[in-house]
Amino acid sequence: MPTPTSRFRAGATLAAAAVALALLAACNRDQVSRSTPAPAPGAPPQGMPPAGMPSGMGGEVPPPPAPTHPLKWALPKGWTETGGGGMRFATLNPPGPGKIEVSVVNLPGMAGGELANVNRWRGQIGLEPLDEKALAGARRTVKSKAGAIAVFDFTSQGASPTRMIVGSLTTADGNTWFLKLVGDAPAAEKARPDFMRYLESLHLD
């Protein structure tokens, strides 16, 4: 029979997971609000929790606390950094035509885990979710001074314009960092080599 202590720990774990999911949902709202002025038909009103969100965990979520030891990087030639704001730690802008950007988000702890976040990215470009086995097949690893970085590369199917996501996540100093290149497929494909070198340049000191 569960003891009061174990029930407390389980409750605390569920609460932490719910907070991480709420923060990630807020990240999505931030990104969508930059490219979609009006909500889609049937979408929940702004400030309301998305479908499936635990009651009381949606709405306007405050930004996560600033990391004690933030990631640092070497900005690729020609790229610009426009800073963060809200849920974002930073926004990077590769040069060239086409809609494209790199978002950098930092959240405490595991922030929902790898599978949930990869499927969140896939959903943003209309792809079906993966299971654990397919996730392992889609993952590649990049080494950096900040640690190993899991990278996932997806392109939308049948959509016009075709969209591409190169999403990556890494854990450092107890936080999870999400670094995502997203945009029109031709522009994202052109920026991809520099994005990979950018990932390799990550460090903490």
Side-chain angles (χ1 to χ4, degrees):
M1 175 179 295
T3 65
T5 299
S6 63
R7 285 198 296 271
F8 173 78
R9 288 175 177 169
T13 300
L14 288 173
V19 170
L21 288 172
L23 290 171
L24 289 170
C27 294
N28 282 341
R29 286 198 300 275
D30 175 58
Q31 292 165 8
V32 170
S33 67
R34 294 169 187 270
S35 57
T36 308
Q46 186 173 5
M48 295 295 290
M53 184 65 63
S55 176
M57 295 308 300
E60 296 303 325
V61 179
T68 305
H69 303 290
L71 276 184
K72 299 177 181 177
W73 50 73
L75 202 63
K77 184 179 180 180
W79 288 35
T80 59
E81 183 170 337
T82 56
M87 302 302 296
R88 291 197 184 195
F89 182 81
T91 300
L92 311 181
N93 305 102
K99 295 181 179 179
I100 184 173
E101 70 172 15
V102 173
S103 61
V104 181
V105 174
N106 170 258
L107 293 176
M110 296 303 294
E114 185 180 61
L115 181 61
N117 283 290
V118 168
N119 283 332
R120 178 172 57 86
W121 293 334
R122 287 177 61 84
Q124 290 171 357
I125 57 172
L127 298 178
E128 295 295 322
L130 301 177
D131 59 20
E132 288 282 3
K133 183 178 180 180
L135 178 74
R139 182 193 305 115
R140 62 173 294 191
T141 302
V142 172
K143 295 182 179 179
S144 77
K145 291 183 178 179
I149 306 167
V151 181
F152 299 87
D153 197 333
F154 303 116
T155 303
S156 65
Q157 300 175 356
S160 181
T162 306
R163 303 277 290 170
M164 180 176 178
I165 281 180
V166 185
S168 65
L169 67 165
T170 184
T171 56
D173 200 28
N175 298 317
T176 301
W177 291 82
F178 300 89
L179 310 106
K180 183 180 69 177
L181 170 69
V182 60
D184 296 340
E189 184 67 41
K190 184 176 180 181
R192 191 178 187 284
D194 278 342
F195 180 68
M196 301 306 292
R197 284 189 283 272
Y198 157 75
L199 294 180
E200 293 170 352
S201 77
L202 296 179
H203 61 97
L204 289 169
D205 51 8

